[in-house]
Amino acid sequence: MSGNTRGLIHDTTPESLLLRDEVFAYASDRLGMNPPPLDAPATVSELWQMTGQTVTEEGLGGSEALALFRDKVGHATISVDHPNFLSFIPCAPTEAARLFDLIVSASSIFGGSWLEGAGAVHLENQVLSWLASEVGFPESAGGVFVQGGSLGNLSALAAARYSAGLKLKVQGKPEPRNWAFLCSKEAHSSLKAAARVLDVEIVWAPVDENGRLTGEAVAQTLAANKDHTIFAVVATSGTTNFGIVDDLRGVGEVANSNDIWFHIDGAYGLAGILSPRTRHLYDGSDLADSFIVDPHKWLFAPYDVCALVYKEPKLAHQAHTQHGEYIAVLQDGDDWNPSDFAYNLTRRTRGLPFWFSLATHGVAAYRTAVTHGIELARRIADEIESRPGLSLVRQPELSVVAFRRAGWDLDHYKRWSDLLLNRGQAFVVPSAHNGEPMTRFAIINPLTEYSELIKILDSMDEIEAD
Ligand SMILES: *Cc1c(COP(=O)(O)O)cnc(C)c1O
């Protein structure tokens, strides 16, 4: 580190140029790893032993700090892009998207306003418009890339409640105190979190025997509801645990005919709309008022990015725009300020890595990559069904395969999961459905191979043996 303050920001000393090379070299090495080491977490005391105190008055120097991350603590983080990372929802960003993420960091773009970020926001908006067109939204649709699906759902629901409140106001009715939104028990936990933040209730609708929320169930639940003012109906297009797509047309028609905001949570699964194999499952998406999809899940973008799109962005704009004297200049005209469409102000142009990859490879490559996950899930599901002692919890619709081993309790799944992680083979954690333990393969990564999945299934026998 050079001693002067200017050097903090713009450092031309030989050591600094060397550090630049070292950082790029490491980034380049990491990009080239196939596969990267899976790695595993460490305890706090193990990490203290590795690092000692790193935040000091004098600083460690860049080379030492980089080495500490590269050679030590970096290995205490699991490589979610490892082809055998099969839990939760993996993240397998394209090389192009990862590369452009470096450029976003190097460029210091404020993505909240048109005034500051116009060029970048224009490109992000092209991606949002493309997603909107896949879903069947009109050209006037638009939105913003936010940090993740949780924030996307929250922001959409805030816009929905605002819009419902506005309608009542126009009719001269008072703001209700019993706001609620409707969704099913299979919906994502972020919806419960959103309800807590918004201080509203959730009205639960039952699912059918396939775990799907249907229009009929929504109609019945709405009819039976006396205690709440329901401002939104939320359907999931690809539940996280199973990949179940709700009956979007049925739910959408009921929501529309009751004049209730229809939101689709497609954080994981909306990407399936790109594949000719599953496109039909998304029939009725165009009835929604808003949707989300996380490109860091099944659209091969790096963390963290959620596309939030509104059919009528004007309502969301009214709900979310921040007004303050120091930012008043941003609100002068009718510029498209991304900050105005969600609960955020300062934002990184986090849609750009995804844009760059799309622009590089074209949409068709994405259709193929999504289809790969669907086909591999189908293939390994058939294998699971054919193996004695293994059974599918559900037939896969998208790229999640949930299954059980006869006679296993949670402890068996945990021991198996630890075995796989400890030897750096795979990351497959236990899950559960209705309190019954199970496990699942969430297949996103185009590098995930059938032969590796077979080896992982075979390794279950090692647990039985001890
Ligand atoms: C992952 C997920 C979310 C939450 O998204 P984050 O990006 O993790 O905040 C919401 N809904 C569904 C269906 C998801 O799969």
Side-chain angles (χ1 to χ4, degrees), residues 89 147-153 186-191 236-241 265-269 292 294 296-297 304-306:
I89 301 291
Q147 171 263 329
S150 301
L151 187 57
N153 281 334
E186 300 284 340
H188 189 265
S189 54
S190 58
L191 291 166
T236 308
S237 69
T239 60
T240 322
N241 222 7
D265 177 1
Y268 150 59
I292 63 159
D294 278 357
H296 65 225
K297 285 177 171 169
D304 42 24
V305 60
C306 166

Coordinates of all heavy atoms in Angstrom, one line a residue, residues 89 147-153 186-191 236-241 265-269 292 294 296-297 304-306, ligand 1:
I89 N -30.7 -24.7 -4.3 CA -30.7 -24.5 -5.8 C -29.3 -24.1 -6.1 O -28.8 -23.1 -5.6 CB -31.7 -23.4 -6.2 CG1 -33.1 -23.8 -5.8 CG2 -31.6 -23.2 -7.7 CD1 -33.8 -24.9 -6.6
Q147 N -31.8 -7.8 -5.5 CA -30.8 -8.7 -4.9 C -31.2 -10.2 -5.0 O -30.4 -11.0 -5.3 CB -30.5 -8.3 -3.5 CG -29.6 -9.2 -2.7 CD -30.4 -10.2 -1.8 OE1 -31.5 -9.8 -1.4 NE2 -30.0 -11.4 -1.7
G148 N -32.5 -10.5 -4.7 CA -32.8 -11.9 -4.7 C -34.3 -12.0 -4.7 O -35.1 -11.0 -4.6
G149 N -34.8 -13.3 -4.8 CA -36.2 -13.6 -4.8 C -37.0 -13.1 -3.6 O -38.1 -12.7 -3.8
S150 N -36.4 -13.1 -2.5 CA -37.1 -12.7 -1.3 C -37.4 -11.2 -1.4 O -38.6 -10.8 -1.1 CB -36.2 -12.9 0.0 OG -35.8 -14.3 0.1
L151 N -36.4 -10.4 -1.8 CA -36.7 -9.0 -2.0 C -37.6 -8.7 -3.2 O -38.4 -7.8 -3.1 CB -35.4 -8.2 -2.2 CG -35.4 -6.7 -2.2 CD1 -36.0 -6.2 -0.9 CD2 -34.0 -6.1 -2.4
G152 N -37.6 -9.6 -4.2 CA -38.5 -9.4 -5.3 C -39.9 -9.7 -4.9 O -40.8 -8.9 -5.2
N153 N -40.1 -10.8 -4.2 CA -41.5 -11.1 -3.7 C -42.0 -9.9 -2.8 O -43.1 -9.5 -2.9 CB -41.5 -12.4 -2.9 CG -41.5 -13.6 -3.9 OD1 -41.9 -13.5 -5.0 ND2 -41.0 -14.7 -3.4
E186 N -47.1 -24.9 -0.2 CA -45.9 -25.3 -0.9 C -45.1 -24.0 -1.3 O -44.0 -24.2 -1.9 CB -46.3 -26.1 -2.2 CG -47.0 -27.4 -1.9 CD -46.1 -28.5 -1.4 OE1 -44.9 -28.5 -1.6 OE2 -46.7 -29.5 -0.8
A187 N -45.7 -22.9 -1.1 CA -45.0 -21.6 -1.5 C -43.7 -21.4 -0.6 O -43.5 -22.0 0.4 CB -45.9 -20.4 -1.3
H188 N -42.9 -20.6 -1.1 CA -41.5 -20.4 -0.6 C -41.6 -19.7 0.8 O -42.4 -18.8 1.0 CB -40.6 -19.7 -1.5 CG -39.2 -19.6 -1.2 ND1 -38.7 -18.6 -0.5 CD2 -38.2 -20.5 -1.4 CE1 -37.4 -18.8 -0.3 NE2 -37.1 -20.0 -0.8
S189 N -40.6 -20.0 1.7 CA -40.6 -19.4 3.0 C -40.4 -17.8 2.9 O -40.8 -17.1 3.9 CB -39.4 -19.9 3.8 OG -38.2 -19.8 3.0
S190 N -39.9 -17.3 1.8 CA -39.8 -15.9 1.7 C -41.1 -15.2 1.7 O -41.2 -14.0 2.1 CB -39.0 -15.5 0.4 OG -39.7 -16.0 -0.7
L191 N -42.2 -15.9 1.4 CA -43.5 -15.2 1.4 C -43.9 -15.0 2.9 O -44.5 -14.0 3.2 CB -44.5 -16.0 0.6 CG -44.2 -16.0 -0.9 CD1 -45.0 -17.1 -1.6 CD2 -44.5 -14.6 -1.4
T236 N -46.8 -20.2 -7.5 CA -45.4 -20.5 -7.6 C -45.2 -21.3 -8.9 O -45.9 -22.2 -9.2 CB -44.9 -21.4 -6.4 OG1 -45.3 -20.8 -5.2 CG2 -43.4 -21.6 -6.4
S237 N -44.2 -20.8 -9.7 CA -44.0 -21.6 -11.0 C -42.6 -22.2 -10.8 O -41.6 -21.8 -11.3 CB -44.1 -20.7 -12.2 OG -43.0 -19.8 -12.2
G238 N -42.7 -23.4 -10.1 CA -41.6 -24.1 -9.8 C -41.2 -24.0 -8.3 O -40.4 -23.2 -7.9
T239 N -41.9 -24.9 -7.5 CA -41.6 -24.9 -6.0 C -40.2 -25.3 -5.9 O -39.6 -26.1 -6.7 CB -42.5 -25.8 -5.2 OG1 -42.4 -27.1 -5.7 CG2 -44.0 -25.4 -5.4
T240 N -39.5 -24.8 -4.8 CA -38.1 -25.1 -4.6 C -37.8 -26.5 -4.2 O -36.9 -27.1 -4.7 CB -37.6 -24.1 -3.5 OG1 -38.3 -22.9 -3.6 CG2 -36.1 -23.9 -3.7
N241 N -38.7 -27.1 -3.4 CA -38.4 -28.5 -3.0 C -38.7 -29.5 -4.1 O -38.0 -30.5 -4.2 CB -39.3 -28.8 -1.8 CG -38.5 -29.5 -0.7 OD1 -37.3 -29.7 -0.8 ND2 -39.2 -30.0 0.3
D265 N -44.3 -16.3 -8.3 CA -43.0 -16.5 -7.7 C -42.3 -17.6 -8.6 O -42.5 -18.8 -8.4 CB -43.1 -16.9 -6.3 CG -41.7 -17.2 -5.7 OD1 -40.7 -17.1 -6.4 OD2 -41.6 -17.6 -4.5
G266 N -41.5 -17.2 -9.5 CA -40.8 -18.1 -10.3 C -39.3 -18.1 -10.1 O -38.5 -18.3 -11.0
A267 N -38.9 -17.8 -8.8 CA -37.5 -17.5 -8.5 C -36.6 -18.6 -9.1 O -35.6 -18.4 -9.8 CB -37.3 -17.4 -7.0
Y268 N -37.0 -19.9 -8.7 CA -36.2 -21.0 -9.3 C -36.7 -21.4 -10.7 O -36.0 -21.5 -11.6 CB -36.3 -22.2 -8.3 CG -36.2 -23.6 -9.0 CD1 -35.1 -23.9 -9.8 CD2 -37.2 -24.5 -8.9 CE1 -35.0 -25.1 -10.5 CE2 -37.2 -25.7 -9.6 CZ -36.1 -26.0 -10.4 OH -36.1 -27.2 -11.0
G269 N -38.0 -21.7 -10.8 CA -38.5 -22.5 -11.9 C -39.0 -21.7 -13.1 O -39.3 -22.4 -14.1
I292 N -41.4 -12.8 -10.6 CA -40.0 -12.8 -10.4 C -39.3 -14.1 -10.9 O -39.9 -15.1 -11.0 CB -39.6 -12.7 -8.9 CG1 -40.0 -13.9 -8.1 CG2 -40.1 -11.4 -8.3 CD1 -39.3 -14.1 -6.8
D294 N -35.1 -15.7 -10.5 CA -33.7 -15.4 -10.1 C -32.7 -15.9 -11.2 O -32.5 -17.2 -11.3 CB -33.4 -16.2 -8.8 CG -33.8 -15.5 -7.6 OD1 -34.4 -14.4 -7.6 OD2 -33.7 -16.1 -6.5
H296 N -29.7 -16.0 -10.9 CA -28.6 -16.8 -10.2 C -29.0 -18.2 -9.9 O -28.2 -19.0 -9.4 CB -28.1 -16.0 -8.9 CG -29.1 -15.9 -7.8 ND1 -29.3 -14.7 -7.1 CD2 -29.9 -16.8 -7.2 CE1 -30.2 -14.9 -6.2 NE2 -30.6 -16.2 -6.2
K297 N -30.2 -18.6 -10.2 CA -30.6 -20.0 -10.0 C -30.5 -20.7 -11.3 O -29.4 -21.2 -11.6 CB -32.0 -20.1 -9.4 CG -32.0 -19.7 -7.9 CD -33.3 -19.7 -7.3 CE -33.2 -19.6 -5.8 NZ -34.5 -19.4 -5.1
D304 N -25.6 -11.8 -6.9 CA -27.0 -12.2 -6.6 C -27.9 -11.3 -7.5 O -27.8 -10.1 -7.6 CB -27.3 -12.0 -5.1 CG -26.7 -10.7 -4.6 OD1 -26.5 -9.7 -5.4 OD2 -26.4 -10.6 -3.4
V305 N -28.9 -12.0 -8.1 CA -29.8 -11.2 -9.0 C -31.2 -11.9 -9.2 O -31.3 -13.1 -9.4 CB -29.0 -11.1 -10.4 CG1 -28.7 -12.4 -11.0 CG2 -29.8 -10.2 -11.3
C306 N -32.2 -11.0 -9.0 CA -33.6 -11.4 -9.2 C -34.2 -10.4 -10.2 O -34.1 -9.2 -10.0 CB -34.3 -11.4 -7.9 SG -36.1 -11.5 -8.1
Ligands
LIG1 C1 -35.0 -19.3 -3.9 C2 -36.5 -18.9 -3.9 C3 -36.9 -17.7 -3.4 C4 -36.0 -16.8 -2.6 O1 -35.0 -16.2 -3.5 P1 -33.7 -15.7 -2.9 O2 -33.0 -15.2 -4.1 O3 -33.0 -16.8 -2.2 O4 -34.0 -14.6 -2.0 C5 -38.3 -17.4 -3.4 N1 -39.1 -18.2 -4.1 C6 -38.7 -19.4 -4.6 C7 -39.7 -20.3 -5.3 C8 -37.4 -19.8 -4.6 O5 -37.0 -20.9 -5.1

